[in-house]
Amino acid sequence: MTTKTDKIDRLAELTAARAEPEHGLGLWREAFRRLKRNPMAVSGAVIVLLFLVIAILAPWLAPYDPEARTWDHEVFQNQNIFVGPRAENWLGLDNAGRDELSRIIVGARQSLLVGVVATGLGFAVGALLGGLAGAAVGLGGRVGQRVDAVIMRVVDMLLAMPSLLLAVSVAAILGPSLLTVMVAVGVTQVPIFARLLRGSMLAQSHSDYVLAANALGVKRRRIVLGHIVPNSLGPVLVQGTLSLATAIIEAAALSYLGLGNPDTSYPEWGSMLADAQRFLSGAPQLAIYPAIVIIITALGFTLLGEAMRESLDPKLRK
Amino acid sequence: MSLLTVDELTVTFTQRGKPDVRAVDGVSFTVDQGEVVGLVGESGCGKSVTSLALMRLLSGRNVKIGGSVVFDGIELLKLRSEEMRDLRGSQLAMIFQDPLSSLNPVVPIGVQVTEILTRHRKLRGEAARKEAAVLLEKVGIPDPTRRLREYPHQMSGGMRQRALIAMAVACAPRLLIADEPTTALDVTIQAQILELLKELVDSQGTALLMITHDLGVVAGLCDDINVLYAGKVVEAAARRPLFAAPTHPYSVGLLNSIPRLDAPRGEPLKPIRGSVNDNIAWADGCAFAPRCDHYTIECLQGPPALTEALTGHRYRCVNPVTTHEPPAVIATEDGR
């Protein structure tokens, strides 16, 4: 008798355990579950996490001080004498006799920081502008149309300029500093986020559930904030991940052009690339190393972003 | 006095460089307190546009609405949009065809139900959640407190439509408009949903405007029926006279085109020939004439007038059907 009730209890437990993960799964959690099964997403996430860990633990991971010219008596850049990989310096020495590996590792900090802050900035301002425009249209009326038109024309002007040119102008106007780099790169991201959020809000505002909410007398403000915005954020968040990759590349491009952080006490991938340019014939590896890490980081964010896009797109759901 | 009086409602869609499209062309009908009225017709005849127009949900510069819609003594078409918004959901509510797309996919059901309660009944927090659970229970959703936390995609089609009905009747509206509420559902669920609507209408004294192409739905539910064709009411009658003695050839065609269980095996179905594309403009004559079996030259002498035969039985035809084959037997659910 006891065994039978035990069995029933066990069965109930099992079915409950099986039913539980299905229960209360929202769009986001379900998307996350699909994400975990996607090899593209997993490899992207691994790369991103790896670089994050490296950036955070850089001072402890770097074998030497990235600025110490410990081996400057072995490198003679004027005579094209460089030191390649060897046991004590895994990636060799740079043109000033500093350990290249340590510089790459510590350089991850600034590159990722600039990428994240710049994208965050672009996201915040862009989403605000796009959200305002989208909400203005959603709330309707002639005033709404005007507000939308004004905001979007400004955004269009930003969008019309090539992003690197825009970043260079902003950096040139503000004068070189770390903050400048972040602002300059962030500004180039603003129009993308603004357009994207507005567009997806407009698309959502024609959907059936908005009509249904209208038919039940829900207030316009509530429809915009409670229904349209949450449904429109998906693509914008995905764009955020993709933009991180671009931001890192653009930050590197700015420092390559000499508009980066003038404080050279910290290495940075872009400026390392710029420095290496002078020795491209004698020591091409000095340009290749930072280029490779830039590419891998950008790839990691892109993979993650693409996978997120797929998992959030209801049409691609299995 | 009627609860809702629609008088000569016209809806015209305009588009630059193209001729205007008159989707609804002088539709008139009334709905009394607690009455169930059907609006029947095939796709593109203006059923949904009529319902959206009288809910004032057709917006945009290229829509022109004429005529009058009086609800409980108020002219809805002249109301300020915010006043109309206050009426929607509390006095008039609407249920749509596709329950999945009518629910917000990223918001739990509970939030969507309590939203209505907060908006019109000023219920908040725990009180709103309790009331939402009561509503879900009322429309036959088991385990309502758990369901409130779920998202639309976790529910079945029938369950979603029940949730939408719960939202529509949350404030005990006086008129409920159901726009093909069962079309997206499978047949057994259809019957359940219709049963539920009937119960709610009976218990709350709500009037129901049922918009459908399904004569079976109408037969089981409606007191009065309006048959629409090309934006005009072509026949209006109470349920019994309409099914027993349909007068307009279009109504006859609709009834005859229903497959009959008592027909001999292998007998072909009897469709109405042609399609809506064959219509002529109402100004030139009867729009249905090109598809009509009773068509004569008189049909092309301008728009046919609405004729009132017996009390309440109206039809818009110059050659009405008078002799009847035994009428199609459609079992009404209550056997009346």
Side-chain angles (χ1 to χ4, degrees):
Chain A
M1 193 61 206
T2 44
T3 48
K4 195 176 177 188
T5 45
D6 279 354
K7 260 187 193 164
I8 292 172
D9 282 349
R10 180 84 193 110
L11 196 64
E13 226 169 80
L14 278 175
T15 40
R18 203 174 304 156
E20 206 44 47
E22 291 298 326
H23 172 66
L25 270 186
L27 178 85
W28 294 101
R29 272 166 71 189
E30 205 194 297
F32 181 66
R33 259 179 28 159
R34 276 196 300 276
L35 215 52
K36 278 194 302 192
R37 288 197 294 260
N38 184 346
M40 211 163 92
V42 173
S43 38
V46 166
I47 294 174
V48 168
L49 276 180
L50 185 74
F51 275 93
L52 274 181
V53 168
I54 289 177
I56 291 164
L57 301 180
W60 296 278
L61 284 177
Y64 306 100
D65 179 354
E67 291 304 319
R69 304 177 171 219
T70 322
W71 297 277
D72 56 357
H73 52 277
E74 292 177 45
V75 175
F76 301 97
Q77 39 179 297
N78 297 338
Q79 294 155 45
N80 250 352
I81 298 175
F82 293 94
V83 178
R86 59 184 185 182
E88 20 178 349
N89 312 101
W90 289 359
L91 294 181
L93 303 175
D94 77 346
N95 58 310
R98 297 171 290 199
D99 181 44
E100 182 78 3
L101 179 64
S102 304
R103 289 180 66 74
I104 295 269
I105 290 175
V106 175
R109 292 198 124 183
Q110 220 179 78
S111 290
L112 284 182
L113 183 71
V114 170
V116 170
V117 174
T119 306
L121 214 65
F123 183 94
V125 179
L128 189 73
L129 286 177
L132 267 178
V137 177
L139 292 175
R142 219 147 271 184
V143 185
Q145 302 269 352
R146 289 268 164 79
V147 173
D148 172 60
V150 170
I151 293 177
M152 290 332 281
R153 286 308 80 73
V154 173
V155 167
D156 283 348
M157 269 151 57
L158 285 179
L159 202 60
M161 274 182 261
S163 60
L164 191 60
L165 190 66
L166 188 61
V168 168
S169 343
V170 173
I173 291 166
L174 295 179
S177 77
L178 184 60
L179 189 69
T180 302
V181 178
M182 294 174 181
V183 172
V185 175
V187 165
T188 66
Q189 315 268 18
V190 166
I192 302 167
F193 286 114
R195 276 243 154 247
L196 197 63
L197 183 59
R198 173 181 176 271
S200 93
M201 280 176 77
L202 286 194
Q204 293 296 334
S205 68
H206 294 300
S207 60
D208 282 356
Y209 63 84
V210 170
L211 182 69
N214 267 318
L216 291 171
V218 180
K219 295 237 182 204
R220 285 175 183 174
R221 198 182 44 190
R222 166 84 196 151
I223 290 179
V224 170
L225 292 180
H227 292 278
I228 298 180
V229 169
N231 275 291
S232 312
L233 279 180
V236 186
L237 287 178
V238 170
Q239 180 61 39
T241 342
L242 293 175
S243 285
L244 263 167
T246 333
I248 288 170
I249 295 173
E250 273 185 10
L254 277 186
S255 19
Y256 175 81
L257 293 172
L259 291 164
N261 189 359
D263 179 6
T264 49
S265 59
Y266 276 105
E268 198 266 301
W269 295 341
S271 50
M272 286 169 71
L273 202 57
D275 291 343
Q277 190 197 20
R278 284 181 288 152
F279 317 107
L280 216 48
S281 55
Q285 75 273 15
L286 292 185
I288 290 171
Y289 296 139
I292 285 178
V293 287
I294 290 173
I295 291 169
I296 293 178
T297 327
L299 180 73
F301 280 114
T302 310
L303 283 176
L304 194 60
E306 283 292 342
M308 264 172 78
R309 195 213 302 272
E310 272 176 28
S311 72
L312 276 173
D313 189 344
K315 281 181 220 116
L316 296 172
R317 270 182 215 171
K318 278 161 219 144
Chain B
M1 202 188 83
S2 301
L3 177 67
L4 178 81
T5 309
V6 178
D7 190 30
E8 288 294 313
L9 181 74
T10 56
V11 180
T12 315
F13 294 100
T14 59
Q15 201 177 352
R16 210 182 302 166
K18 285 190 180 169
D20 291 357
V21 177
R22 177 156 287 192
V24 177
D25 195 353
V27 166
S28 308
F29 62 90
T30 59
V31 181
D32 288 337
Q33 189 81 47
E35 195 190 21
V36 182
V37 173
L39 220 51
V40 190
E42 64 192 291
S43 305
C45 70
K47 314 182 293 275
S48 295
V49 175
T50 305
S51 64
L52 290 174
L54 56 93
M55 283 293 274
R56 291 267 309 273
L57 287 170
L58 284 174
S59 55
R61 266 168 289 182
N62 40 13
V63 183
K64 285 206 193 86
I65 301 176
S68 107
V69 178
V70 178
F71 173 79
D72 197 19
I74 308 165
E75 171 59 66
L76 294 185
L77 297 183
K78 294 209 173 77
L79 226 47
R80 289 213 333 273
S81 69
E82 291 313 310
E83 290 170 336
M84 187 64 214
R85 196 172 283 273
D86 288 340
L87 281 187
R88 286 201 292 256
S90 61
Q91 299 282 311
L92 302 124
M94 191 159 173
I95 306 165
F96 292 93
Q97 181 172 354
D98 184 354
L100 179 58
S101 61
S102 298
L103 287 165
N104 187 336
V106 303
V107 177
I109 298 292
V111 176
Q112 305 191 44
V113 179
T114 50
E115 181 176 74
I116 314 295
L117 297 170
T118 311
R119 169 70 172 92
H120 296 294
R121 287 169 61 182
K122 311 279 175 258
L123 289 175
R124 276 168 212 288
E126 196 49 43
R129 272 193 293 279
K130 279 217 181 90
E131 180 62 22
V134 170
L135 279 169
L136 289 198
E137 186 102 64
K138 194 158 108 184
V139 297
I141 295 180
D143 200 359
T145 35
R146 205 189 75 146
R147 289 288 175 186
L148 283 176
R149 290 197 302 272
E150 291 196 345
Y151 290 83
H153 71 269
Q154 291 168 280
M155 299 174 114
S156 65
M159 202 89 85
R160 286 180 207 129
Q161 193 60 289
R162 282 171 194 270
L164 278 167
I165 292 174
M167 287 160 68
V169 300
C171 308
R174 299 178 63 194
L175 175 67
L176 184 62
I177 301 175
D179 187 358
E180 308 231 11
T182 56
T183 309
L185 306 172
D186 65 58
V187 183
T188 45
I189 309 295
Q190 278 185 12
Q192 292 173 12
I193 294 290
L194 289 177
E195 193 57 40
L196 171 68
L197 278 174
K198 205 192 237 168
E199 269 174 40
L200 288 171
V201 165
D202 285 348
S203 66
Q204 293 189 339
T206 304
L208 177 65
L209 179 60
M210 188 78 185
I211 291 161
T212 181
H213 63 260
D214 189 342
L215 283 168
V217 169
V218 175
L221 205 61
C222 299
D223 304 320
D224 271 344
I225 295 157
N226 296 282
V227 180
L228 244 64
Y229 189 78
K232 274 192 193 297
V233 175
V234 293
E235 183 160 10
R239 165 172 55 181
R240 247 187 302 169
L242 187 84
F243 280 101
T247 308
H248 196 283
Y250 179 61
S251 314
V252 176
L254 280 183
L255 286 172
N256 283 341
S257 62
I258 299 172
R260 292 174 60 159
L261 278 179
D262 55 354
R265 223 166 219 282
E267 192 182 80
L269 297 173
K270 293 181 205 142
I272 302 175
R273 65 193 155 87
S275 78
V276 206
N277 294 333
D278 303 330
N279 287 352
I280 59 170
W282 278 111
D284 301 336
C286 177
F288 185 62
R291 302 174 66 188
C292 186
D293 291 332
H294 294 252
Y295 153 79
T296 60
I297 197 71
E298 282 101 76
C299 295
L300 298 179
Q301 316 284 315
L306 203 61
T307 318
E308 183 142 1
L310 294 162
T311 1
H313 194 148
R314 289 167 296 156
Y315 54 89
R316 192 183 292 279
C317 185
V318 288
N319 292 313
V321 182
T322 43
T323 52
H324 285 288
E325 305 172 33
V329 178
I330 297 174
T332 59
E333 274 168 51
D334 51 4
R336 268 191 281 167

